[in-house]
């Protein structure tokens, strides 16, 4: 067999062998993201997560411009993330202690979808100053929260004013959600 054909065959075998490893790394990333979003991490694990993020150790996870003009800090995962009964490749990452799964819904349906999600999670209450935000600033949307204890708060946020067509659900650790 000619040398160049042997090299091509060797390269093809190496690429085929590496594909499952890349897929496993992306699955590990999706699991780590889901654990953060579903409030499953301890404070120490949140710190470790951020160290890994700083070191760019999460395979297939990068900032994204796919939100268009929406006021979201979107990141995209190569593998979809499943959390709180929803699935999306998009993560809204407003701070190092707060992360939400973000998913598109038809414009005009955001609040209805968010309310159904909050009802499914159960025990959620509106942000204490929500009525004042709506009245003072003309803000449109919903912001429901539920304390899970241990400095963890689940949050469903629908910001029709600044992120139409998106629903987010996730977790804040420590004082991330006031």
């Amino acid at each position: 067999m000619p040398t160049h054909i042997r090299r091509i065959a060797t390269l093809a075998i190496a690429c085929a062998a590496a594909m499952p490893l890349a897929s496993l790394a992306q699955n590990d990333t999706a699991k780590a993201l889901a654990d953060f979003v579903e409030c499953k991490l301890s404070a120490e694990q949140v710190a470790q997560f951020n160290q890994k993020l700083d070191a760019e150790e999460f395979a297939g996870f990068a900032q994204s411009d796919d939100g268009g003009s929406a006021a979201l800090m979107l990141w995209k995962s190569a593998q979809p993330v499943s959390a709180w009964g929803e699935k999306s490749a998009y993560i809204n990452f407003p701070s190092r202690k707060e992360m939400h799964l973000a998913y598109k819904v038809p414009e005009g349906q955001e609040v209805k979808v968010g309310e159904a999600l909050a009802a499914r999670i159960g025990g959620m209450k509106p942000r204490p100053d929500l009525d004042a935000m709506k009245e003072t600033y003309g803000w449109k949307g919903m912001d429901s929260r539920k304390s899970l204890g241990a400095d963890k708060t689940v949050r469903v946020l629908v910001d029709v004013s600044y992120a139409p067509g998106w629903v987010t659900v996730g977790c804040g650790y420590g004082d991330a959600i006031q």
Side-chain angles (χ1 to χ4, degrees):
M1 181 179 327
T3 304
H4 72 280
I5 292 182
R6 264 186 271 151
R7 287 184 182 154
I8 291 172
T10 301
L11 179 62
I13 291 169
C15 288
M19 288 177 73
L21 294 175
S23 181
L24 284 174
Q26 290 172 356
N27 287 340
D28 288 346
T29 296
K31 168 99 173 73
L33 295 170
D35 287 349
F36 193 121
V37 168
E38 289 190 317
C39 302
K40 293 181 178 178
L41 302 182
S42 67
E44 181 178 303
Q45 289 170 316
V46 170
Q48 290 170 352
F49 180 96
N50 284 306
Q51 289 172 350
K52 287 181 75 172
L53 184 67
D54 289 342
E56 299 181 7
E57 293 179 13
F58 288 114
F61 185 56
Q63 288 182 314
S64 171
D65 292 330
D66 291 352
S69 63
L72 297 172
M73 300 295 293
L74 281 185
W75 289 59
K76 188 172 184 180
S77 173
Q79 292 291 326
V81 176
S82 295
W84 300 108
E86 301 297 334
K87 191 173 195 175
S88 176
Y90 295 102
I91 299 291
N92 180 40
F93 200 9
S95 82
R96 295 299 187 136
K97 292 183 180 179
E98 185 176 3
M99 184 184 293
H100 311 130
L101 187 72
Y103 58 99
K104 291 288 285 175
V105 299
E107 287 192 30
Q109 297 297 307
E110 302 95 336
V111 172
K112 181 179 177 182
V113 171
E115 287 172 345
L117 176 57
R120 191 170 70 231
I121 292 170
M124 300 197 77
K125 302 209 179 323
R127 173 184 176 146
D129 62 348
L130 185 63
D131 289 336
M133 282 182 56
K134 290 179 177 183
E135 186 178 311
T136 305
Y137 303 109
W139 186 79
K140 296 180 181 94
M142 67 170 284
D143 188 351
S144 294
R145 296 117 183 262
K146 176 182 178 181
S147 174
L148 301 177
D151 285 332
K152 299 175 186 179
T153 302
V154 62
R155 180 182 195 186
V156 175
L157 177 63
V158 175
D159 188 343
V160 177
S161 296
Y162 298 100
W166 289 91
V167 171
T168 68
V169 58
C171 188
Y173 294 85
D175 60 357
I177 299 175
Q178 298 292 320

